[in-house]
Amino acid sequence: MKQAWQTDELDRFFELSVDLVGTAGFDGRFRRIGHAWERTLGFSREELLSTPFIDFVHPDDRERTLAESARVFAGSGSVTFTNRYRCRDGSYRWIEWNSSVQPGEELIYFVARDVTDRKRAEESLLAAESRFRAAVDGSLDAFFVLRGVFDEAGTLVDFVFTDANQRAAEGMSMPREEIVGRRLGEVTPAARRLERLDKYARVFRTGERLLEEQESESPGHGGRWLQNQVIPLSDGVAIAVRDITPFKRLEAELREALQRRATHAEELEEKNRLLAAENAERERAEAVMRQQQETMLAMSTPIIQAWEGILVLPIIGIVETARANHIMERLLAEIVRTSARFAILDLTGVSAVDAATVAHLLAVVRAANLLGSTCLVSGISPAIARTMTELGAAEGGFTTFGVLQNALRYALSRCSAEGAR
C-alpha cells in the first residue's frame, strides 16, 4: 500500500511533466494522464479518460498503433513508435511513444512527447532534398559526389564515387549504378590520375573551392571544353562539370573578329595615310600648276612701255574670259602707274577672233578710255577684220592699224605734238 507522501509526489510529477506521461489498461483506455495532455490536444482530462485512445489516432495510423500495442501487451519490453493524435480543433499532432508493462500488472506505462515540429522539419528537409535531387538530376551540368578514402595512418589515398546525376552518367558513357561505388583511380586516365587526386585532396584539405577550364579527355568528346568546379565537403568533395564549348567557340570567334577588325583598321589607316600623302602631293602639284599658270599668264600678257606715255601690249593666242580679265587688270594698273596717254593692243599673234573675243577687246578699250588713255589696236589680220565686220564691231570706239610700227608712229607723233604745245 502506497504512503500518502508517495501519492502526492506522483500527482505532482504527473501535473508538472512537460512530457505526455500516463498509464493505460489492456482495455484500450487511459487510466491516468498528466496535465500536458490537455495542453497538447485541447481535450479535457475527462474526455481523454472516457474515450478509447484508438479513437484519437489518425485513421492511417490505427492499424500500426494496434500492432504496437499488442507487442506491449505481450510483454516485448520497451516499445517505441510514432503516430498522429487528433486535437480538439480537428488537426493532428505527431506523438512519439515509449511504453512498457510491468510483469503481473495489466497496466501500460508510457511517456510520450509531441514531436510535431520535428516531424514537420524532417518532412520539409525531405521535400527540400527531393527538390534538390530533382534539380540535380535535371541539371544540364554533370554532378559528382566523392568521399575520401583513407589508409590506416589516416592519409587520404583515393576518392570513391557516392553519387552522380544523369548528365554525369552520360558524360562518362556508363550507367549511374556502375559509377557509384567505384574509386576515382578506376575511372581516371592513368596520365591524369595523380594530378586529379592531388587536386581534389588539396581542395578537401584547404576547404577552398577550385574553378578551372580544360579540354575534355572523354572518348568521343574531343574538342569540347569543360569548366570544373570542385567544392569541399566534410568527408570528400563535390564536382560540378559544365560544357562551355559554345562559349569557347564564341570567345574564339570574337577574338578572331577583333583581330580582323584590328587588321582592317591598320589597313584603313595605311590607306588614309597614302590618301593623305596623295592629297598633299596633289595640292603641291596644283599649287605648282597654279604658279606656272600665273607665270605663263603673266608672260602671255607682257606690257611694254615703248615710250613715255605709250604702253604696248602684244597679245598672242586665244583671248578667253579669264585672260581678258587678266589683261584688263594689268593694263589698267600700268596705265594708272605710268599715266600713259596711249595703250596699243597688238593682235599680230591672234589668228582669229570670235564674238566673245571681240567683246573682251571692246571692254578693255572702254576701260582704258575711262582712265584717260587712248587705246589703239594694231596687227589686225584679214580674218580678224572680216570677223569684226560680220559682228558689227568695226565701228567700235578704237583706232586700228595694220602693223605695230604704224600704231607706235601715230602715238609718238601725237605725244610730240602735245608736247610742242
Side-chain angles (χ1 to χ4, degrees), residues 7 65 117 174 209 240 296 331 376:
T7 303
T65 300
D117 292 339
M174 63 176 64
R209 294 190 179 193
M296 291 176 62
L331 181 60
L376 307 177

Side-chain angles (χ1 to χ4, degrees), residues 23-32 53 73 106-108:
T23 59
F26 284 10
D27 58 355
R29 294 177 183 272
F30 291 122
R31 295 293 179 83
R32 185 173 186 176
F53 59 73
F73 296 156
E106 293 187 356
L107 196 63
I108 302 173

Side-chain angles (χ1 to χ4, degrees), residues 301 313 315 319-321 323-332 335 343-345 357-371 373-377 397-398:
T301 314
L313 176 58
I315 300 175
V319 183
E320 80 285 350
T321 302
R323 189 177 181 195
N325 292 334
H326 185 69
I327 290 172
M328 182 182 294
E329 291 176 2
R330 292 206 62 201
L331 181 60
L332 297 181
I335 289 174
I344 302 173
L345 301 181
T357 303
V358 173
H360 293 325
L361 293 175
L362 289 175
V364 172
V365 171
R366 284 194 295 270
N369 289 339
L370 290 174
L371 292 177
S373 180
T374 301
C375 195
L376 307 177
V377 180
F398 53 87

Side-chain angles (χ1 to χ4, degrees), residues 176-405:
R176 176 179 176 276
E177 294 74 15
E178 295 184 13
I179 299 174
V180 175
R182 298 183 68 179
R183 290 197 174 195
L184 178 66
E186 297 174 352
V187 299
T188 303
R192 301 296 298 275
R193 189 172 301 158
L194 292 178
E195 178 186 347
R196 287 193 179 181
L197 179 59
D198 180 67
K199 189 181 302 180
Y200 298 165
R202 185 167 59 253
V203 171
F204 174 71
R205 287 195 306 269
T206 63
E208 297 179 359
R209 294 190 179 193
L210 173 65
L211 184 65
E212 63 176 1
E213 297 177 359
Q214 65 180 23
E215 196 169 4
S216 175
E217 303 170 346
S218 301
H221 292 81
R224 302 193 69 81
W225 279 88
L226 304 177
Q227 181 188 72
N228 299 327
Q229 183 174 193
V230 186
I231 306 166
L233 301 177
S234 60
D235 60 349
V237 295
I239 304 172
V241 182
R242 174 171 298 179
D243 186 347
I244 58 171
T245 304
F247 302 101
K248 280 291 186 179
R249 290 174 180 170
L250 181 61
E251 182 181 286
E253 292 173 1
L254 179 60
R255 187 165 51 250
E256 292 175 1
L258 291 175
Q259 182 61 41
R260 289 195 300 270
R261 181 176 179 181
T263 301
H264 292 164
E266 291 177 0
E267 293 175 354
L268 182 60
E269 184 178 353
E270 179 64 16
K271 290 179 180 179
N272 289 337
R273 188 185 64 78
L274 293 176
L275 182 59
E278 291 176 1
N279 289 338
E281 183 63 27
R282 183 164 52 252
E283 290 176 359
R284 287 193 295 271
E286 290 175 354
V288 171
M289 186 178 296
R290 284 194 299 271
Q291 185 177 2
Q292 291 175 348
Q293 288 176 347
E294 292 173 359
T295 302
M296 291 176 62
L297 190 59
M299 292 177 63
S300 66
T301 314
I303 299 176
I304 304 169
Q305 187 170 1
W307 198 263
E308 185 178 353
I310 301 173
L311 298 177
V312 177
L313 176 58
I315 300 175
I316 302 172
I318 299 173
V319 183
E320 80 285 350
T321 302
R323 189 177 181 195
N325 292 334
H326 185 69
I327 290 172
M328 182 182 294
E329 291 176 2
R330 292 206 62 201
L331 181 60
L332 297 181
E334 286 297 309
I335 289 174
V336 173
R337 188 179 68 80
T338 61
S339 300
R341 286 282 295 112
F342 292 94
I344 302 173
L345 301 181
D346 182 47
L347 304 181
T348 303
V350 179
S351 58
V353 295
D354 55 13
T357 303
V358 173
H360 293 325
L361 293 175
L362 289 175
V364 172
V365 171
R366 284 194 295 270
N369 289 339
L370 290 174
L371 292 177
S373 180
T374 301
C375 195
L376 307 177
V377 180
S378 64
I380 297 178
S381 65
I384 295 176
R386 184 169 56 253
T387 301
M388 294 179 69
T389 301
E390 292 173 355
L391 294 174
E395 294 81 15
F398 53 87
T399 305
T400 61
F401 298 89
V403 295
L404 177 59
Q405 290 87 343

